[in-house]
Amino acid sequence: MCCARNHHEEPEITENPTGRADADERALRARLAARLLDLDATVGVLGRAFAEAGFELALVGGSVRDALLGRPMPDLDFTTDATPDEILRVIKPLAEAHWDIGREFGTIGLRLAGEQVEITTYRAEAYDPDSRKPQVAFGSSLEDDLVRRDFTIGAMAIRLPELTFVDPHDGFGDLLSRRLRTPGAPADSFTDDPLRMMRAARFASQLGFTVDADVFAAMRDMADRIGIVSAERVRDELVKLMKGAHPRRGIEVLVDSGLADHVLPELSRMREERDEHRRHKDVYRHSLTVLDQAVDLELERQEPDIESPDFIVRFAALMHDCGKPDTKRFEPGGQVTFHHHDVVGAKLVSRRMKALRFDKDTTKAVARLVELHLRFYGYGDAGWSDSAVRRYVTDAGPLLSRLHILTRSDVTTRNRRKAERLAHAYDDLERRITALQEKERLDAIRPDLDGKQIMALLDIPPGPLVGKAYAFLLEERMQHGPLGEEEAARRLRAWWESVQG
């Protein structure tokens, strides 16, 4: 399969080594040709510059895959027989900017014609069994470089400047078949870089592809090897998985392969527990359904304070019941309960995210959603006072939109009447929240008097008593709404007298 060689002409893939000529294949070929034409100011310029300097250059890996699929290409990846020093000599006269932070691994970065570019010397990587860092050895040919890549769909290249399509492992065919295979033996690939097992799950999520049986078997056999990979790299793959178009597929790959036992053991444990109403095979399956529904609601609602795809709400949906295994109790009559699993789950998910080196804000947000996910239940039966609605909003804080999504997604009952009743109840709660927000600005609830006013009114210095007085006024504000300064002062004096007396 090759493209037109004159860079002034529109690139066109003319060969069809797979023997297929269906609409999907033609669409992929046309998409790649059009993308290469659009990128001539970068791809063409670099290809001609390296050729004139006597070096090989190829667009490679994820860049070719994403061009074929019509996906965004935030970075362009190239590979070459030039060394890092030789790469720098070629690109310096062309680049708008360049950097060599990856020089140790043979990679030079640059910006050209507005595109972010990475150029890497042909290489082969291998992990020492006891090391977290790859050992880098430079290779000698494009074919050798391609065979060491993670999957066949990332082992395709475009030789430059002639625009020859190189696909020794039929990655093009695997794109059409929507499956993940490795260029060589899966065990060799995962030995070289165990993180590739996480990438298989991530691609299942992002692309909706199926993991080949041989690849999946190797993942099961080698799952414990993920332990040598740094927590930061595992975390980054997990985030990409959760933000994919099909996160459930990626999670199922993690769990079924045994990888989750090592990176998210709390998730694996959920398979052992049935929920108290026996609506689902197990809590794990329930959580997958909640995840599916959260993804759909996130896209449907398009909340202005949530940038979709949103890791926080999706991960909270997946992990909201992770406290159930530790809180399972058998009650008289055979009923199973999971009291306080929300609080326990919040602690568990916080601990796991810290182990995976998530930042504090993201960790706190997910844990808080897990802790609050049961708060709504009972609203439809007993009704809430305005005070309770205020507290719901205040406790959720900036996570309120996400809490709406999580709470609605957690309704998975097959009882239509019950589902409709819960949906109507939450509709009513949201209407009341909107009405109170318009009236009272619930997102900024404060007592009617600030700290300075409290100290002046009670004639007390800064200290714990001011905090207690402030907490009293905040509770009054929650219970009764805005009081005004005069009424707040009256109630504060009465409280102070009771404390003093």
Side-chain angles (χ1 to χ4, degrees), residues 58 132 167 200 260 370 443:
R132 291 178 181 268
D167 183 21
V370 171
D443 57 341

Side-chain angles (χ1 to χ4, degrees), residues 54-300:
F55 298 114
E56 298 177 3
L57 185 72
L59 184 71
V60 72
S63 295
V64 177
R65 177 197 68 228
D66 290 341
L68 283 164
L69 293 174
R71 287 165 51 84
M73 301 166 65
D75 300 303
L76 297 176
D77 295 321
F78 296 81
T79 189
T80 179
D81 60 345
T83 65
D85 287 340
E86 292 167 336
I87 294 171
L88 282 169
R89 284 202 296 270
V90 175
I91 62 101
K92 278 184 177 180
L94 305 172
E96 298 158 7
H98 64 83
W99 50 93
D100 61 359
I101 192 171
R103 187 172 187 152
E104 178 185 356
F105 301 101
T107 299
I108 301 297
L110 66 140
R111 186 170 62 249
L112 177 61
E115 301 287 345
Q116 296 287 111
V117 171
E118 287 192 349
I119 304 176
T120 302
T121 305
Y122 295 151
R123 69 189 188 190
E125 289 180 352
Y127 261 69
D128 183 288
D130 300 318
S131 174
R132 291 178 181 268
K133 295 183 179 180
Q135 297 175 326
V136 178
F138 295 144
S140 58
S141 71
L142 175 60
E143 288 71 19
D144 288 344
D145 184 271
L146 293 179
V147 77
R148 57 151 287 276
R149 293 183 176 266
D150 51 7
F151 301 102
T152 59
I153 60 172
M156 299 176 285
I158 305 291
R159 284 190 184 274
L160 303 170
E162 62 268 36
L163 299 178
T164 302
F165 188 89
V166 181
D167 183 21
H169 307 288
D170 194 21
F172 189 84
D174 288 334
L175 277 183
L176 290 173
S177 301
R178 304 178 66 80
R179 65 174 178 170
L180 292 172
R181 292 189 305 117
T182 53
D188 293 341
S189 181
F190 298 151
T191 296
D192 284 346
D193 187 353
L195 190 68
R196 290 172 175 174
M197 295 184 286
M198 289 286 295
R199 285 196 198 122
R202 188 239 296 182
F203 285 136
S205 168
Q206 289 182 330
L207 305 177
F209 281 22
T210 300
V211 179
D212 186 76
D214 290 345
V215 173
F216 199 83
M219 291 171 65
R220 277 200 306 266
D221 292 341
M222 304 176 67
D224 61 343
R225 190 164 166 76
I226 197 68
I228 73 166
V229 180
S230 70
E232 291 82 359
R233 295 182 75 207
V234 171
R235 174 202 64 207
D236 291 346
E237 287 297 322
L238 179 61
V239 170
K240 292 174 184 177
L241 184 161
M242 293 303 301
K243 295 173 74 170
H246 314 279
R248 177 178 184 145
R249 294 191 185 188
I251 291 298
E252 288 176 331
V253 171
L254 285 185
V255 172
D256 294 344
S257 66
L259 280 170
D261 295 346
H262 304 278
V263 299
L264 279 180
E266 297 82 4
L267 182 63
S268 295
R269 289 188 65 205
M270 282 193 272
R271 287 183 299 176
E272 304 167 5
E273 310 299 334
R274 296 176 67 94
D275 73 14
E276 61 267 42
H277 303 295
R278 298 183 179 269
R279 291 186 303 248
H280 302 273
K281 182 178 179 181
D282 52 34
V283 174
Y284 165 65
R285 292 293 169 191
H286 162 73
S287 298
L288 291 179
T289 301
V290 175
L291 172 60
D292 283 340
Q293 295 182 166
V295 171
D296 291 343
L297 269 179
E298 172 201 310
L299 299 174
E300 176 187 322

Side-chain angles (χ1 to χ4, degrees), residues 273 324-331 334-339:
E273 310 299 334
K324 282 191 170 180
D326 287 340
T327 57
K328 183 177 182 179
R329 300 290 184 271
F330 292 97
E331 304 294 341
Q335 184 185 17
V336 180
T337 62
F338 303 96
H339 296 312

